[in-house]
Amino acid sequence: MKRIGSFLLCCTLVGCFARKESTEILKTGTWRATLEIQGQAVPFILECRKDDSDGYDFYLQNAGERLLLDEVTLQGDSLDIVVHIFDANIKAKIKGDTLQGVFIKNFAADYRIPFSAVHGQSYRFDKTSAQNAVPVPDFAGKYQVEFIHESDTTDAIALFQQFGDSVTGTFLTPTGDYRFLEGSVSNGILNLSTFDGNYIYLFRATKDADGKLRGEFFSGKAWYETWVGIRDDKASLPDAEALTYLKEGYDRIAFTFPDVNGKMISLTDDKYKGKVVIIQLLGTWCPNCMDETVFLADWYAKNKDRGIEIIGLAYERKDDFTYASERVKKMVGRLKVGYDIAIAGTDNKDKASETLPMLNKVIAFPTTIFVGKDGKVSKIHTGFSGPGTGVYYEQFIQRFNETVNELLQGNLASENN
C-alpha cells in the first residue's frame, strides 16, 4: 500500500508540474515578423495592442495598410491569431522577445510556413550591410514590366515611390494588383515584400546602367518568376473592359444560386427587376476581392436607394456549401456588407466558367458585371485596381460611378448592341 501511495503521490506531483502556467508575457508594440518561403525570409510588421477586454489585437502592416487581427487567443505561452477574413492562422510560442511558429492555410493540405517574429524591431529589410555601399540607385517611377514563368509571360505595370533608400509601390496586371508592397534598397538591390493574410510575396530587382530593371518574384511555397522592367510613363495594360465578354447570341446573364442561408437567388427575382444591378464575382480567399468588397460595401450603403442592387457570387476554396457559407458570413460581418451574396461554386476558373456559360470565360476574381434596368449586360470589368495602386484606384472609382450613372439614366447600351 505504501508503494502504491508513493506512486500516486509522485504522479500527482508530476501532474502538477506538467500543468504549471508559463511565465512568458506577450509584449505589446512592434514585432518584425518573417515567413520562410523557398529559402527566402519574407518580412512584414505586426503591431500588438491590448484590447478593451484585456486581451490582444494585432495589426498587420504593409506600407499604408493596417489590417486588424482581433481574433487572438493566448493560452500560457501559446499564441493563436486568426488572420482577418481568411481561413488561415498564425500559431506561435512566446519565447521572451521572440515568437516561433507557423502560418497555416486551413483549407489547403499540409500548408504550413515557418513563422518567427522579434519584438521591438521596426525595420523591414536589414540595411546594416549598406553603410559603405555605393550611392543608392533611384527605382522610383512607372515601368512596363514583363513577368516570365518558364515559357509564359505576363504584362504588368510597376509603380514605385522612393524616399532615400525606402521604397513602396505595387504591380498592376490584367487581372489585379499586388496590393501594398514595402521595402528598401540595400547594396544596389531593391527588396519589396508583403503578407496580406493569404498571399506571401517577395520581389527583388537590380537596375542596369541603361535603367532597365531585372528582378525575381517569389510567391508562397513554390511559385517563382523572373521579371524585367523598362521605365515608361505611358506604360499600359489591355483594356479591362474587353477581356471578359458575353458569347455571341447572348445579351443577358442568368443564374440561380443559394445565398448563405440556402435561399435561392436569381437575377430575375422581383427585387432586381427594373433596377441597375452590379454582379461581383469574388472569393473570400482573394485579397483583391476583399479590396473591392470594402469599396462596394461602402458604396452600396450610400447608393442603394437610387434603384441599384449588388449581387456577389462567391467562388470558394472547397466544394462544400457549409464551409463556403461560413466563410462568406464571416466576410459579410467583418466588412459590413449589406448586399446579397450567393454561393456560386469553387475558385477553379474552368469550373467557375461552367456556372456562367454565357461568358467567354471567368478570367479573374474579382470580375464586375454591370446590368442595366432592362436586364441586359452593359459592361464587364475584369480584375480590380485597389487602393494600393493610387491614381488607378481613383480612376476605377470615377469610371465605376460614371457607368452606374449612365445606366440609371438609360444612356448606356448593352454590350452586344
Side-chain angles (χ1 to χ4, degrees):
M1 292 293 295
K2 289 182 180 179
R3 291 180 62 190
I4 294 175
S6 298
F7 176 76
L8 290 175
L9 177 61
C10 179
C11 287
T12 301
L13 290 173
V14 169
C16 288
F17 284 123
R19 290 192 297 271
K20 183 178 179 181
E21 292 295 325
S22 169
T23 58
E24 297 288 1
I25 298 173
L26 178 59
K27 296 182 178 180
T28 57
T30 301
W31 293 78
R32 179 182 182 266
T34 56
L35 294 166
E36 298 289 334
I37 62 167
Q38 304 179 50
Q40 311 292 321
V42 182
F44 60 98
I45 301 300
L46 288 169
E47 181 185 352
C48 179
R49 291 185 178 183
K50 282 275 191 176
D51 65 17
D52 295 336
S53 61
D54 204 33
Y56 294 91
D57 290 337
F58 279 88
Y59 288 87
L60 177 56
Q61 300 182 29
N62 294 290
E65 180 181 52
R66 287 165 55 86
L67 284 178
L68 173 62
L69 314 181
D70 58 1
E71 296 177 79
V72 179
T73 303
L74 181 61
Q75 293 184 337
D77 63 354
S78 296
L79 180 66
D80 187 350
I81 306 171
V82 179
V83 189
H84 200 55
I85 66 171
F86 305 112
D87 187 14
N89 294 68
I90 292 172
K91 297 180 183 249
K93 293 284 189 181
I94 305 169
K95 298 181 180 180
D97 285 343
T98 67
L99 302 175
Q100 298 290 333
V102 292
F103 165 62
I104 304 169
K105 290 186 179 182
N106 299 307
F107 58 82
D110 193 32
Y111 195 102
R112 302 167 71 89
I113 299 292
F115 163 87
S116 62
V118 179
H119 182 262
Q121 295 183 350
S122 59
Y123 66 90
R124 206 168 185 96
F125 291 92
D126 188 2
K127 303 178 184 179
T128 56
S129 60
Q131 292 177 355
N132 299 318
V134 296
V136 177
D138 183 8
F139 286 86
K142 181 177 181 180
Y143 296 82
Q144 188 75 57
V145 170
E146 183 178 61
F147 284 100
I148 303 146
H149 177 70
E150 297 175 349
S151 60
D152 294 329
T153 62
T154 302
D155 290 331
I157 294 173
L159 302 172
F160 300 142
Q161 302 84 44
Q162 184 168 342
F163 301 93
D165 59 3
S166 297
V167 181
T168 58
T170 195
F171 291 85
L172 294 87
T173 77
T175 58
D177 65 272
Y178 284 100
R179 306 187 76 254
F180 296 89
L181 303 177
E182 183 176 357
S184 58
V185 182
S186 179
N187 288 330
I189 301 172
L190 170 65
N191 289 284
L192 294 166
S193 67
T194 193
F195 170 57
D196 55 29
N198 192 35
Y199 292 121
I200 308 163
Y201 295 148
L202 173 65
F203 295 89
R204 185 174 293 139
T206 57
K207 191 172 187 178
D208 291 348
D210 61 1
K212 179 182 287 189
L213 305 187
R214 299 183 185 277
E216 298 177 286
F217 170 41
F218 302 86
S219 174
K221 295 177 74 172
W223 188 263
Y224 173 81
E225 293 179 318
T226 58
W227 60 277
V228 294
I230 298 174
R231 180 70 184 268
D232 184 356
D233 291 338
K234 296 182 180 180
S236 62
L237 293 173
D239 183 359
E241 295 178 2
L243 298 175
T244 308
Y245 51 86
L246 293 175
K247 294 177 182 175
E248 186 176 353
Y250 290 93
D251 62 5
R252 300 169 187 265
I253 187 167
F255 56 81
T256 302
F257 298 122
D259 69 9
V260 294
N261 298 312
K263 179 183 176 182
M264 305 308 289
I265 292 179
S266 174
L267 191 55
T268 58
D269 293 344
D270 289 342
K271 179 177 181 178
Y272 311 113
K273 287 182 179 178
K275 294 183 178 180
V276 171
V277 182
I278 300 159
I279 300 169
Q280 176 198 22
L281 311 189
L282 75 148
T284 63
W285 47 269
C286 163
N288 283 149
C289 301
M290 174 182 69
D291 289 340
E292 186 185 48
T293 302
V294 169
F295 164 73
L296 288 176
D298 179 68
W299 186 92
Y300 180 71
K302 297 173 181 175
N303 291 273
K304 61 184 178 181
D305 295 331
R306 298 172 62 199
I308 296 166
E309 294 294 341
I310 300 177
I311 305 173
L313 303 182
Y315 293 84
E316 295 301 306
R317 290 294 200 188
K318 293 183 181 181
D319 187 15
D320 180 309
F321 178 80
T322 300
Y323 173 85
S325 61
E326 289 303 314
R327 300 314 311 167
V328 171
K329 286 177 183 177
K330 179 168 187 177
M331 183 194 73
V332 166
R334 181 171 287 274
L335 302 185
K336 298 179 174 58
V337 180
Y339 55 84
D340 296 329
I341 298 183
I343 307 302
T346 65
D347 65 322
N348 179 287
K349 291 177 183 176
D350 290 334
K351 291 184 178 179
S353 298
E354 293 173 3
T355 68
L356 300 171
M358 66 290 301
L359 299 180
N360 64 317
K361 188 176 182 180
V362 174
I363 296 173
F365 299 104
T367 292
T368 311
I369 304 170
F370 296 85
V371 178
K373 291 186 286 186
D374 58 0
K376 296 181 179 180
V377 172
S378 175
K379 185 180 298 182
I380 302 176
H381 185 100
T382 303
F384 181 70
S385 299
T389 67
V391 67
Y392 286 87
Y393 179 56
E394 296 170 3
Q395 291 172 354
F396 170 85
I397 294 174
Q398 179 180 350
R399 179 68 169 155
F400 181 94
N401 284 310
E402 289 173 351
T403 298
V404 172
N405 290 338
E406 290 175 353
L407 287 172
L408 285 171
Q409 295 167 12
N411 295 334
L412 198 59
S414 70
E415 187 180 71
N416 286 10
N417 282 352

